[in-house]
Amino acid sequence: MARTRSWITLGAVYVVALSAAAASFPTLPGLPGFPGAAAPVAKLENLKADPNSTTTSGVSSGAYMAMQLTVSLSSSFKGAGVVAGGPWHCAEGSSQTAQTKCMKDAAAIDVKALAKATRDAASRGQIEDPRNLQTARFYIYGSQKDTVVKPPAAERTREYLESFIAKAQIKVETSIPSGHGWATENFGNVCGQMGLPWLNSCGYDTAGNILGHLYGPLKAKAPAVATSLKTFDQSEFDKSGKATLAASGFVYVPHACTTGTSCRVHVALHGCQMSSEFVQDKFAVNSGLNEWAEANAIVVLYPQAKVSGGNPFSCWDWFGYTGADYDTATGPQIVAIKAMVDRLIEP
């Protein structure tokens, strides 16, 4: 039986399998953008993508970041998929609150207070007007078997969003018995298991359900093209280093998007221990997003966070390790991701 060890570090509980499973994700020194690589990494290209249809999704810390992007920059992001996450500003800048209320005791989340905090932040100019959310769509996923971000977080997220948008724009899925992570149709751990690479084979297409809800009816998915998943240099989007980004990120560019089609952009955010430092390209290749993207002219941007002081598992910042403005329009990671999107959509 695999041994496990739990860390309680800066507002999150992470369980890491110390077994052969963890050892099966070695560093790939020959892949551009990873430690030891000699090959250069290209700049993120301008694809003149549609500026009016950008959406995002994420799992765990990435789910919180997806919510932060959509709430703080509500004129730019038109919806989000929130997998094992919670409401905007849930942690209130406190690692202790993140660890307890947001992850373990979501019933204690004061949704009305968070809705008021949202409006107050907008009145101070820290985030954009939440009335922009009235046309946004949200897909919320929580699992009864998730022991890291417990199931009530999904319900609190729905209640928070209903402070701003109609119920019909929100879809909630809580029936899949998956462990903490991103559920797929046929890749990853046994469905209820928890651990690297935080992808669970559950016979459930999280990617298709998210994109279908955010964008409406889609064409049937098509095989992803391996060469269409590219690495790109993230350093130009984080010159100060405050956003603590990995040297490179991933972007999936469907063939149609290279031949003049105006494509949509979807930003997919990994969870803790799901970045390139831990699982290389496992999330970018096996999330299921690329197959839907290929058939529906959607560029998928996979930004990558990195291990840094106060962030030993390359989580996205949802409790303040990059600064007090972490979940506002001036948060270092939010600014960096927005700049990546802007590059893709520049006219």
Side-chain angles (χ1 to χ4, degrees), residues 284-310:
V285 171
N286 299 291
S287 67
L289 290 165
N290 299 343
E291 289 77 6
W292 290 103
E294 183 65 36
N296 291 278
I298 301 170
V299 176
V300 186
L301 180 72
Y302 296 94
Q304 300 291 301
K306 72 176 181 180
V307 169
S308 60

Side-chain angles (χ1 to χ4, degrees), residues 56-101:
T56 181
S57 64
V59 54
S60 194
S61 69
Y64 278 99
M65 179 55 71
M67 181 68 81
Q68 289 167 187
L69 283 169
T70 309
V71 172
S72 65
L73 298 175
S74 54
S75 68
S76 296
F77 289 87
K78 309 302 182 181
V82 181
V83 178
W88 178 84
H89 199 58
C90 181
E92 302 177 68
S94 164
S95 60
Q96 185 64 25
T97 300
Q99 176 182 299
T100 54
K101 185 165 62 175

Side-chain angles (χ1 to χ4, degrees), residues 92-252:
E92 302 177 68
S94 164
S95 60
Q96 185 64 25
T97 300
Q99 176 182 299
T100 54
K101 185 165 62 175
C102 299
M103 298 176 69
K104 298 299 182 185
D105 188 23
I109 296 173
D110 188 338
V111 172
K112 289 183 179 179
L114 293 180
K116 181 179 185 301
T118 304
R119 295 186 176 96
D120 289 347
S123 70
R124 294 190 296 267
Q126 295 173 315
I127 65 173
E128 295 181 349
D129 191 337
R131 286 178 292 187
N132 293 330
L133 294 170
Q134 290 175 0
T135 58
R137 298 175 68 83
F138 291 83
Y139 176 94
I140 303 166
Y141 180 102
S143 170
Q144 298 300 316
K145 284 200 170 185
D146 192 334
T147 58
V148 176
V149 178
K150 291 192 173 179
E155 182 62 18
R156 299 292 87 76
T157 305
R158 179 191 63 77
E159 292 173 1
Y160 167 80
L161 289 170
E162 287 180 1
S163 301
F164 304 102
I165 67 177
K167 291 182 179 180
Q169 292 162 235
I170 306 168
K171 181 176 180 180
V172 180
E173 175 56 70
T174 58
S175 68
I176 310 303
S178 59
H180 186 68
W182 179 279
T184 73
E185 289 190 291
N186 53 27
F187 180 86
N189 300 320
V190 172
C191 188
Q193 183 180 331
M194 181 172 66
L196 292 170
W198 307 102
L199 293 159
N200 296 315
S201 179
C202 295
Y204 184 76
D205 187 1
T206 301
N209 278 281
I210 287 175
L211 294 177
H213 181 67
L214 300 185
Y215 287 125
L218 300 173
K219 296 178 182 177
K221 61 184 178 180
V225 179
T227 55
S228 292
L229 182 66
K230 309 171 188 295
T231 55
F232 70 92
D233 179 11
Q234 292 192 141
S235 64
E236 65 171 308
F237 303 105
D238 184 27
K239 288 185 170 61
S240 70
K242 292 181 180 179
T244 63
L245 300 178
S248 64
F250 301 104
V251 61
Y252 186 85

Side-chain angles (χ1 to χ4, degrees), residues 243-292:
T244 63
L245 300 178
S248 64
F250 301 104
V251 61
Y252 186 85
V253 182
H255 176 71
C257 304
T258 67
T259 58
T261 297
S262 179
C263 293
R264 298 173 284 195
V265 174
H266 182 77
V267 180
L269 298 159
H270 63 74
C272 302
Q273 292 189 326
M274 287 180 75
S275 71
S276 54
E277 289 179 289
F278 286 90
V279 301
Q280 286 77 57
D281 60 1
K282 294 291 187 297
F283 179 58
V285 171
N286 299 291
S287 67
L289 290 165
N290 299 343
E291 289 77 6
W292 290 103

